[in-house]
């Protein structure tokens, strides 16, 4: 889809204690990958717990356009009849990945080593985001890419007719870039190698292994060296998608700042490349415990129990940035309710997310009476203490779901209600956000209701 329709103004106001169980949706990263790897496998992949947000539904549509049979059987329950590695058909029409950087970048990688042509586009946010980070490495396989100025969508990719394997050191910490190269490497002969100086989420590696590819990760002085043997026969799998830690972060952070709250968020992935936010919150003084630690669908998961806590500001280690990259917006909200200053260095990648998240958070926090400092790579929040956040402002979300949800959390414990100009992008990753938060006791209203 190319937009999110009419903007939906939303307002969140201070509420009583949040109580209950928050069953957040399936992990977005794993959901995209389950559909794409299912489409590249032979046989029927069965998926449970799939996130049915707009981003993932756009990837499902794209996989159909490349020739896979993708069927929904019930809530979260899907099957994919794959076409096998190298079996993608040429799409008849433009592939619209909506708001999803993960969707478009992974799919570009997956088709780059097949002799087909595809044109990609997205919504107003995605069309502003850089695609050069994926087209640079896929050109090394022999693919060609023609996009708008600055490597922007819409963009046409001509897949390589006789791809060569690639050895590629990712210039930025990006799981999307790593994954695009690995997915391209699937249909190249020989070994494709990706070197990551800073490790990023490893779902692609784990899932490729699960689907039967030969893939190893070696920890060396250069960083993580990931080696994939090309042209495997991927075999259909049953994928149980764990709940998304990035979505769990919203009710968890809300419970930490709303006095008297206690909630449980069950079955949340604790993959060490994703759990930075929970470590950071505990360092800030959060009463957050992990219960029933177990393994589900190849990922470590736990039930999170969270109680309202008096928090203090900290210096967040820059090395943790990639393990909590999507959680900085809501972390900066929590920091506003802490005593003292929270410094978040090493976050320049936030500038090229669904919005420039440093700028969007900084402007929105200022509009709600919170003092911040920023530079290209850092966000600093001066905490107002648990009862001292003024609120009363409206944040601009720039088609960014996480900016919208973060400011709705801010309003739950601020002195005055907090609004966002447009909450419609929340549907891209967390379509049940409003109902789930209302079920815990939050008060979020839409201007049109
Ligand atoms: C994702 C990787 C991250 C993250 C995004 C999902 C993925 O992006 O921000 O929400 O599923 O691979 P980058 O690869 O750009 O860091």
């Amino acid at each position: 889809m190319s937009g999110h329709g009419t903007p939906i103004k939303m307002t969140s106001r201070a509420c009583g204690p949040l109580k209950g169980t928050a069953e957040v949706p399936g992990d977005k990263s794993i959901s995209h990958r389950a559909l794409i790897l299912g489409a590249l496998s032979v046989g029927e992949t069965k998926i449970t717990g799939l996130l049915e947000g707009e981003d993932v539904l756009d990837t499902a549509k794209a996989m159909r356009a490349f020739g896979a049979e993708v069927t929904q059987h019930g809530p979260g329950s899907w099957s994919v009849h794959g076409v096998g590695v190298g079996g993608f058909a040429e799409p008849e029409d433009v592939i619209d990945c909506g708001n999803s950087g993960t969707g478009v970048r992974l799919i570009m990688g997956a088709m780059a080593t097949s002799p087909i042509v595809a044109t990609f586009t997205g919504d107003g946010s995605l069309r502003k985001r850089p695609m050069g980070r994926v087209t640079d490495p896929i050109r090394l396989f022999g693919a060609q890419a023609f996009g708008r100025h600055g490597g922007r969508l819409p963009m046409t990719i001509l897949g390589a007719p006789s791809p060569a394997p690639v050895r590629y050191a990712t210039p930025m910490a990006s799981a999307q870039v790593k994954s695009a190269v690995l997915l391209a490497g699937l249909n190249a002969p020989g070994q494709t190698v990706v070197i990551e100086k800073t490790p990023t989420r490893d779902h692609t590696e784990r899932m490729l292994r699960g689907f039967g590819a030969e893939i190893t990760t070696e920890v060396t002085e250069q960083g993580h060296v990931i080696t994939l043997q090309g042209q495997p026969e991927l075999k259909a799998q049953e994928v149980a998608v764990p709940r998304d830690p990035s979505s769990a972060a919203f009710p968890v952070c809300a419970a930490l700042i709303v006095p008297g709250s206690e909630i449980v968020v069950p079955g949340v992935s604790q993959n060490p490349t994703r759990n930075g936010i929970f470590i950071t919150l505990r360092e800030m003084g959060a009463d957050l415990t992990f219960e029933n630690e177990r393994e589900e669908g190849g990922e470590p998961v736990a039930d999170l129990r969270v109680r309202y806590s008096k928090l203090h500001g900290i210096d967040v280690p820059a090395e943790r940035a990639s393990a909590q990259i999507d959680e900085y917006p809501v972390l900066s909200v929590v920091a506003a309710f802490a005593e003292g200053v929270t410094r978040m260095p090493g976050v320049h990648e936030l500038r090229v997310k669904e919005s420039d998240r440093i700028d969007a958070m900084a402007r929105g926090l200022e509009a709600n009476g919170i003092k911040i400092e920023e530079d290209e790579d850092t966000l600093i929040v001066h905490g107002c203490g648990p009862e001292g956040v003024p609120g009363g402002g409206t944040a601009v979300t720039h088609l960014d779901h996480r900016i919208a949800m973060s400011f709705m959390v801010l309003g739950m414990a601020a002195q005055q209600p907090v609004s966002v100009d447009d909450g419609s992008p929340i549907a891209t990753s967390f379509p049940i956000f409003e109902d789930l938060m209302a079920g815990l006791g939050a008060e979020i209203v839409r201007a049109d209701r």
Side-chain angles (χ1 to χ4, degrees):
M1 49 189 66
S2 288
H4 302 271
T6 317
I8 302 172
K9 182 168 177 179
M10 286 184 188
T11 301
S12 164
R13 61 187 71 247
C15 54
L18 301 176
K19 298 274 181 193
T21 300
E23 297 198 337
V24 303
D27 188 87
K28 182 153 71 74
S29 294
I30 296 176
S31 294
H32 283 294
R33 287 159 172 81
L35 292 168
I36 296 169
L37 291 179
L40 291 171
S41 298
V42 175
E44 187 189 31
T45 287
K46 292 182 178 159
I47 310 169
T48 51
L50 189 86
L51 165 64
E52 286 162 351
E54 288 170 1
D55 278 11
V56 175
L57 297 178
D58 285 331
T59 289
K61 258 190 251 159
M63 290 303 98
R64 286 192 192 111
F66 282 99
E69 206 181 292
V70 185
T71 314
Q72 184 188 21
H73 300 281
S77 169
W78 290 64
S79 66
V80 185
H81 268 279
V83 293
V85 168
F88 269 179
E90 186 166 275
E92 285 179 16
D93 204 346
V94 172
I95 303 294
D96 189 342
C97 289
N99 192 251
S100 181
T102 306
V104 75
R105 291 184 177 129
L106 267 56
I107 297 167
M108 280 181 177
M111 60 74 58
T113 45
S114 290
I116 55 173
V117 178
T119 300
F120 295 88
T121 192
D123 70 4
S125 154
L126 194 58
R127 289 196 307 271
K128 286 190 195 143
R129 297 180 67 185
M131 295 298 140
R133 52 180 58 202
V134 167
T135 55
D136 287 351
I138 67 174
R139 283 195 174 102
L140 303 175
F141 287 96
Q144 297 179 63
F146 306 92
R148 285 166 62 229
H149 186 70
R152 303 298 200 261
L153 301 177
M155 178 169 281
T156 296
I157 310 283
L158 275 61
S162 38
V166 157
R167 185 179 175 87
Y168 192 69
T170 52
M172 67 289 288
S174 167
Q176 293 175 1
V177 174
K178 167 179 66 179
S179 302
V181 177
L182 291 172
L183 292 172
L186 279 176
N187 199 36
Q191 289 184 337
T192 285
V193 179
V194 183
I195 302 153
E196 278 198 303
K197 204 159 74 197
T198 309
T200 61
R201 64 191 68 193
D202 62 358
H203 307 300
T204 303
E205 298 92 301
R206 285 173 186 252
M207 292 177 77
L208 275 171
R209 209 167 290 128
F211 277 78
E214 213 180 291
I215 179 166
T216 56
T217 300
E218 223 187 316
V219 183
T220 71
E221 271 178 11
Q222 301 164 290
H224 282 199
V225 179
I226 304 149
T227 305
L228 171 74
Q229 194 63 47
Q231 299 182 321
E233 183 175 297
L234 297 184
K235 293 190 192 65
Q237 297 297 309
E238 295 197 356
V239 182
V241 182
R243 298 186 199 277
D244 197 325
S246 299
S247 296
F250 294 104
V252 165
C253 290
L256 287 174
I257 61 171
V258 175
S261 297
E262 175 168 352
I263 66 163
V264 173
V265 192
V268 179
S269 169
Q270 292 300 304
N271 180 314
T273 61
R274 296 287 300 281
N275 67 354
I277 182 68
F278 306 121
I279 297 168
T280 301
L281 291 171
R282 277 168 59 141
E283 286 175 0
M284 295 175 79
D287 181 350
L288 168 59
T289 51
F290 307 101
E291 301 175 353
N292 298 320
E293 289 174 280
R294 58 200 183 272
E295 184 146 315
E296 276 177 15
E299 294 271 329
V301 301
D303 303 337
L304 307 182
R305 183 175 294 276
V306 200
R307 297 183 183 90
Y308 169 72
S309 304
K310 294 244 162 29
L311 303 168
H312 53 85
I314 62 165
D315 286 356
V316 182
E319 314 80 76
R320 200 178 290 152
S322 69
Q324 57 177 24
I325 192 67
D326 291 337
E327 286 64 75
Y328 282 99
V330 75
L331 176 59
S332 63
V333 164
V334 168
F337 291 89
E339 296 287 357
V341 177
T342 297
R343 289 184 191 79
M344 294 168 273
V347 296
H348 56 276
E349 272 292 307
L350 294 183
R351 299 226 178 251
V352 289
K353 295 293 176 188
E354 285 82 331
S355 67
D356 175 342
R357 285 183 174 161
I358 296 180
D359 185 67
M361 287 312 300
R363 302 294 79 77
L365 290 171
E366 281 173 342
N368 284 285
I370 298 142
K371 186 177 165 213
I372 65 98
E373 293 170 67
E374 63 169 310
D375 65 25
E376 191 50 33
D377 192 36
T378 311
L379 181 60
I380 298 172
V381 176
H382 292 258
C384 307
E387 275 144 40
V389 173
T394 297
V396 180
T397 61
H398 301 283
L399 289 179
D400 190 329
H401 53 135
R402 298 199 202 282
I403 301 301
M405 290 186 278
S406 296
F407 282 102
M408 291 297 90
V409 171
L410 187 83
M412 291 174 202
Q415 292 162 357
Q416 298 295 322
V418 173
S419 299
V420 292
D421 66 330
D422 183 11
S424 66
I426 293 172
T428 61
S429 72
F430 200 159
I432 60 168
F433 175 76
E434 289 164 86
D435 286 346
L436 181 143
M437 293 309 305
L440 299 175
E443 290 182 33
I444 299 175
V445 292
R446 293 186 176 201
D448 61 354
R449 284 192 185 157

